Amino acid sequence: MAEDVVAIARDWIGTPYRHQASTKGVACDCLGLIRGVWRERHGQEPEAPPPYTPDWGEGGGQEVLMAAALRHLVPVDRDADWLPGDVLLFRMRAGAVAKHLGILSEAGEAPRFIHAYNAHGVIDSPLTTPWQNRIAARFRFS
């Protein structure tokens, strides 16, 4: 089941970045990628996302992405094995709300993740130690 999440996400690679978009091959942001994978696996999205700013370092405020992930995805225990298909939620700096998402594409000694990144579009990146240190939570599609 997790393999299909990675396969769907890989089909989005090369999609240009555009804030609040979610159309494969046309434009998306990190949430748009997750929304697109959801649609391909489950059909209609469970809720429409509210407007949000593109600022990853936004301080204070409510954990809107965390709350939505808890409503619609399955939380993964911090000590659980990393599996391709895991949805990664990142907090880009201490005190900031968690506002970046990706999908683990490879686990093991050289983990990688697929995410939509400003000025790069949807890419498959190494999940380096600095990225790993920013993971606020992990989830899985049901």
Side-chain angles (χ1 to χ4, degrees), residues 61-105:
Q62 296 182 341
E63 293 283 355
V64 176
L65 270 182
M66 182 76 75
L70 288 167
R71 283 192 302 275
H72 305 295
L73 300 171
V74 178
V76 176
D77 187 89
R78 283 201 165 287
D79 297 327
D81 289 339
W82 291 49
L83 297 177
D86 283 0
V87 176
L88 310 173
L89 177 59
F90 297 90
R91 184 178 319 284
M92 300 310 286
R93 66 175 173 80
V97 295
K99 284 192 67 175
H100 187 57
L101 294 160
I103 295 174
L104 190 69
S105 56

Side-chain angles (χ1 to χ4, degrees), residues 56 90 92 100 113 115 126-135:
W56 286 358
F90 297 90
M92 300 310 286
H100 187 57
F113 72 116
H115 61 134
L127 186 60
T128 60
T129 300
W131 276 110
Q132 290 180 35
N133 290 340
R134 291 181 174 101
I135 295 173

Side-chain angles (χ1 to χ4, degrees), residues 30 80 104 129 139-140:
C30 65
L104 190 69
T129 300
F139 301 91
R140 293 191 177 133

